[in-house]
């Protein structure tokens, strides 16, 4: 009889995990492998490594910072956020004055799975100094602490993220009208918030922005794979991720050793067109920095996510729903389904764009976002700088061209 706690059992366990890992990587990387192979034949590994280091050292993307703060979730998890305040007006008055007793809008940005607040880099760059904005890192992501509940063995849930958003709003934006912006998992966070705090939504939410997200049925997404590959991935993913999460140190070393393959996968599943290499590297850095055990503990929440009914709480408010037409993770028909439940929403499908459309086509996203802020501010008679309305002029040009 072999002791499973001994070296023989450990090797067998490692072998089984390695088999699962190999199968999962084979399925997920199918679409990226050809491009990576060509790159390996033409560019040496050492050169690629130096290029990544150079981009990390000199790239300006993801370096914008605001006034830091911390909110505490119901389980004690420290949630890090940053606030950008409007700059003084031309007469030296601080920030934006109330108009007719109404405080300025605060835009709260919630990022996606395996990302951080830096995913909003271009929106932050366009809006900083113009509107009050809050950017936060969801639990176990970015600068926020590892979820206390998850360290205690509880699964991560989208409902929990909705309550986390409430904690951030209470700490960073306790008064005034809100515009809630959410990408991917962040959009699901907003839906969970709306479902759990409908009264606060009715009192304070003036607008909502969903980008590259879904209200449910994510288990049916093919990930751009053939039908057989998609089925295999859905079957393998939960057990593979559990195995990976239990061997985090080993897996993190493996991620570093396969950086080239990883970069190809990130590119395929993040973008639908060629982007600045520094932008692609920003996406890689955010995903690389998410520990594999965090990846594992969040994944099941997406197959359980069903929040279409919560959208009724947001109906009637200015809304913008955007997606890339080449998004393989949350396909654009999921955004169309959200827009159907929000009749007042503007639905924008961006051509040649993937899952990280706000990094890939920021000028399009920023113009439409600015137009949403103008509609939301007008709806609640809140002050808004002319600079934001000018930024929205790009949206009007786009609309005219479509007409």
């Amino acid at each position: 009889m072999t002791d499973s706690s001994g070296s023989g059992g450990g090797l067998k366990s490692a072998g089984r995990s390695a088999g699962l890992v190999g199968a999962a990587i084979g399925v997920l990387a199918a679409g990226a492998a050809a491009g990576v192979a060509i790159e390996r034949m033409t560019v040496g590994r050492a050169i690629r490594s130096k290029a990544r280091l150079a981009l990390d050292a000199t790239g300006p993307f993801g370096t914008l910072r605001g006034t830091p703060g911390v909110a505490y979730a119901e389980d004690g998890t420290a949630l890090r956020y940053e606030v950008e305040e409007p700059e003084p007006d031309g007469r030296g008055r601080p920030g934006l004055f109330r108009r007719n007793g109404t405080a300025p809008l605060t835009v709260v940005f919630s990022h996606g799975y395996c990302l951080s607040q830096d995913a909003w880099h271009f929106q932050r760059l366009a809006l900083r100094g113009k509107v009050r904005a809050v950017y936060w890192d969801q639990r176990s992501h970015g600068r926020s602490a590892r979820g206390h509940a998850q360290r205690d063995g509880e699964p991560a849930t989208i409902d929990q993220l909705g309550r986390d958003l409430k904690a951030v709003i209470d700490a960073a934006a306790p008064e005034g009208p809100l515009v809630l912006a959410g990408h991917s998992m962040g959009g699901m966070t907003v839906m969970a918030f709306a479902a759990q705090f409908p009264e606060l939504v009715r009192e304070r939410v003036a607008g909502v922005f969903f980008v590259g997200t879904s209200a449910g049925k994510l288990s049916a997404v093919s990930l751009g794979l053939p039908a057989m590959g998609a089925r295999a991935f859905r079957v393998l993913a939960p057990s593979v991720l559990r195995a990976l999460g239990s061997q985090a140190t080993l897996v993190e070393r493996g991620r570093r050793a396969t950086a080239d393959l990883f970069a190809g996968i990130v590119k395929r599943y993040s973008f639908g067109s060629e982007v600045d290499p520094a932008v692609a590297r920003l996406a890689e850095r955010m995903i690389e920095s998410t520990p594999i055990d965090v990846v594992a503990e969040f994944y099941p929440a997406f197959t359980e996510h069903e929040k279409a009914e919560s959208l009724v709480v947001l109906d009637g408010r200015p809304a913008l729903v955007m997606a890339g037409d080449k998004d393989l993770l949350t396909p654009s028909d999921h955004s169309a389904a959200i827009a159907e439940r929000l009749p007042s929403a503007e639905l924008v499908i961006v051509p040649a764009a993937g899952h990280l459309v706000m990094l890939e086509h920021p000028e399009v996203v920023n113009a439409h976002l600015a137009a949403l802020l103008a509609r939301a501010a007008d709806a609640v008679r809140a002050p808004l700088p002319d600079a934001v309305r000018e930024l929205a002029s790009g949206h009007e040009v786009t609309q005219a061209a479509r007409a």
Side-chain angles (χ1 to χ4, degrees):
M1 180 175 178
T2 302
D3 182 359
S4 63
S5 64
S7 60
L11 288 173
K12 289 180 180 179
S13 176
R16 288 193 296 270
S17 296
L20 289 172
V21 173
I25 290 176
V27 171
L28 187 58
V36 173
I38 293 172
E39 183 186 11
R40 281 180 170 172
M41 288 189 293
T42 57
V43 184
R45 177 177 291 179
I47 293 175
R48 290 194 300 275
S49 178
K50 289 180 180 178
R52 285 193 295 271
L53 290 173
L55 288 171
D56 287 347
T58 62
F61 304 114
T63 61
L64 300 178
R65 301 271 68 90
T67 302
V70 59
Y72 290 94
E74 61 187 9
D75 64 349
T77 301
L79 306 170
R80 304 288 175 176
Y81 64 82
E82 295 177 8
V83 179
E84 299 271 10
E85 298 286 359
E87 293 178 353
D89 64 14
R91 286 173 284 181
R93 295 180 300 188
L96 289 170
F97 273 70
R98 294 173 182 263
R99 189 174 78 184
N100 300 317
T102 302
L105 294 172
T106 297
V107 191
V108 183
F109 289 88
S110 301
H111 67 78
Y113 180 46
C114 298
L115 301 174
S116 73
Q117 61 178 269
D118 293 337
W120 300 105
H121 173 85
F122 290 111
Q123 291 65 54
R124 190 170 190 161
L125 186 63
L127 296 177
R128 68 183 335 202
K130 301 179 181 67
V131 300
R132 190 172 194 275
V134 175
Y135 303 86
W136 69 293
D137 292 323
Q138 302 221 50
R139 64 171 53 221
S140 303
H141 291 70
R143 298 171 186 83
S144 287
R146 181 67 180 277
H148 287 192
Q150 285 66 60
R151 288 192 303 190
D152 292 339
E154 294 182 23
T157 67
I158 302 300
D159 283 341
Q160 184 177 56
L161 300 183
R163 295 190 294 273
D164 288 352
L165 176 55
K166 170 66 160 52
V168 170
I169 289 172
D170 288 346
E175 66 169 349
L178 302 167
V179 173
L180 303 180
H183 169 250
S184 191
M185 181 177 76
M188 302 174 202
T189 298
V190 171
M191 295 176 206
F193 169 83
Q196 295 174 95
F197 305 101
E199 190 61 34
L200 193 152
V201 170
R202 284 189 285 270
E203 291 176 357
R204 296 188 56 199
V205 174
V208 63
F209 174 34
F210 291 122
V211 55
T213 191
S214 172
K217 297 182 172 59
L218 283 169
S219 61
V221 174
S222 71
L223 300 173
L225 301 171
M228 183 177 296
R231 285 196 298 271
F233 183 81
R234 286 196 291 270
V235 170
L236 286 169
S239 56
V240 168
L241 286 171
R242 282 196 298 272
L244 293 175
S246 68
Q247 301 181 45
T249 302
L250 177 63
V251 172
E252 294 303 335
R253 287 202 297 267
R255 285 170 84 176
R256 292 192 291 272
T258 58
D260 298 333
L261 178 60
F262 180 76
I265 294 172
V266 170
K267 184 176 180 181
R268 171 168 169 75
Y269 285 94
S270 298
F271 306 109
S273 63
E274 289 298 317
V275 297
D276 186 319
V279 173
R281 181 59 189 149
L282 170 61
E284 289 175 38
R285 287 204 312 269
M286 287 188 287
I287 297 171
E288 285 172 353
S289 67
T290 307
I292 191 63
D293 43 354
V294 171
V295 177
E297 67 196 20
F298 273 76
Y299 179 80
F302 302 117
T303 58
E304 298 168 3
H305 169 65
E306 294 292 339
K307 285 289 185 290
E309 297 302 322
S310 72
L311 294 171
V312 68
V313 180
L314 298 165
D315 191 19
R317 290 161 179 76
L320 170 63
V321 184
M322 297 190 77
D325 69 342
K326 299 184 183 302
D327 191 334
L328 299 176
L329 299 179
T330 50
S332 59
D333 58 352
H334 285 241
S335 289
I338 292 171
E340 285 181 7
R341 289 181 175 264
L342 298 174
S344 60
E346 177 187 17
L347 174 64
V348 180
I349 307 301
V350 183
H355 191 57
L356 299 185
V357 59
M358 67 282 191
L359 286 174
E360 187 173 10
H361 295 288
E363 68 291 341
V364 176
V365 173
N366 292 348
H368 283 275
L369 175 57
L372 170 68
L373 297 183
R375 294 197 303 275
D378 291 345
V380 297
R381 305 182 67 190
L384 192 72
D386 291 339
V388 177
R389 298 182 187 278
E390 291 168 5
L391 180 61
S393 63
H395 162 270
E396 294 167 2
V397 170
T398 302
Q399 293 294 88
R402 286 179 177 175

